Amino acid sequence: MTDQEWAEIRAVMPVPGWLEGRGGQPGSYCHRQMVDAIRFLVDNGIKWRAMPVDFPVWDRVYAFFRRWRDKGLVKEFHDRLRGKAREAAGRDPEPTAGIIDSQSVKAAASVPASSRGFDGGKKINGRKRHIVVDTTGLLLVVMVTAANVTDRKAGQVLLARLAERFFLLRLVWADGGYTGPWSTSPRRYWVSR
C-alpha cells in the first residue's frame, strides 16, 4: 500500500489500548504490515498458511484479523471507509437508497451439503450471496445462504438488518425476484421503521 493509502487508513484505524494507557502490550508487528498481508490474502484468494515470507507469520496475521473481526472492528473499519468514500464523491456518509440482488454460485465438492442447496431457476447446486449496495455500488449488507433460499425470504432478513444499521435509508430497488406481501411493488421497497 502506498504512503498516501496508509495515511488514509491509519486515520480511521482504532487506537491500540496500550497507546491510550488502557493496558496491554505493544504489538510485535507493524499494523501497516498486517493490513498489507490481509489485503494480499483477500486480493489473491490464498489460504492463510500460504502467506508469502515477505509478510508477518501467517498465524499472527490471522490472530490480528480474528481479533478485529470478533470485536466488530472489521465491520466498523469498512463502514468508516465507506463513509469517507461517499463524502469524497460529494454525498452524505449515510446512504438514503440502496439496491438489493443475489447471485448463485456453484459450490465445490468439499462444501458440506448442509450449507448448500439447489437453485432450480439457475440450475446451480451451491450457495447464494445476497447483497445490498448503496447507489454508488458500495456494500451495505451481505448474507450467504444455501442456493435454494428464495430472494424473497432473504430479502426480508436483509431489509430488517438495513433498518437496524442505516437510519436514513428509506428506499431499496430490487428485481422481480423480491415480490411478496411485505413490499409495495415488485421493484421498490420502503424500509419500515
Side-chain angles (χ1 to χ4, degrees):
M1 129 177 37
T2 66
D3 289 339
Q4 185 179 2
E5 288 173 329
W6 174 242
E8 286 292 320
I9 290 174
R10 187 175 187 194
V12 296
M13 285 183 70
V15 178
W18 64 272
L19 278 177
E20 293 184 330
R22 291 184 279 133
Q25 295 181 353
S28 56
Y29 291 100
C30 170
H31 284 185
R32 182 175 180 172
Q33 289 178 319
M34 293 295 206
V35 173
D36 272 340
I38 293 168
R39 286 180 63 186
F40 181 85
L41 180 120
V42 170
D43 184 46
N44 293 289
I46 63 170
K47 297 178 182 177
W48 286 103
R49 292 177 190 256
M51 188 75 65
V53 295
D54 299 352
F55 295 112
V57 182
W58 76 268
D59 60 341
R60 292 289 85 214
V61 177
Y62 179 68
F64 180 84
F65 170 77
R66 190 181 63 229
R67 189 170 48 249
W68 277 32
R69 181 198 62 204
D70 294 347
K71 292 182 178 180
L73 296 176
V74 172
K75 188 187 301 185
E76 180 183 335
F77 188 55
H78 176 266
D79 291 348
R80 286 183 187 184
L81 288 175
R82 182 185 54 242
K84 283 185 154 283
R86 288 182 57 83
E87 284 177 335
R91 297 175 175 263
D92 277 343
E94 284 291 315
T96 58
I99 304 159
I100 187 171
D101 206 357
S102 67
Q103 179 184 28
S104 296
V105 181
K106 185 177 178 181
S110 59
V111 175
S114 62
S115 68
R116 63 181 167 170
F118 186 73
D119 183 350
K122 297 195 174 106
K123 310 274 191 274
I124 291 178
N125 184 7
R127 292 180 175 165
K128 191 183 280 189
R129 50 184 168 232
H130 308 269
I131 64 167
V132 180
V133 296
D134 67 5
T135 54
T136 63
L138 298 173
L139 185 66
L140 299 177
V141 180
V142 64
M143 180 173 71
V144 177
T145 65
N148 60 342
V149 174
T150 64
D151 291 349
R152 186 177 311 116
K153 186 174 181 181
Q156 292 172 338
V157 175
L158 286 175
L159 289 178
R161 289 184 184 172
L162 282 172
E164 289 174 5
R165 293 188 56 211
F166 300 100
F167 301 108
L168 299 178
L169 193 80
R170 295 286 183 250
L171 181 63
V172 177
W173 285 278
D175 60 20
Y178 293 91
T179 59
W182 49 279
S183 66
T184 56
S185 75
R187 303 234 182 249
R188 294 174 21 189
Y189 301 96
W190 302 103
V191 179
S192 60
R193 298 271 169 236

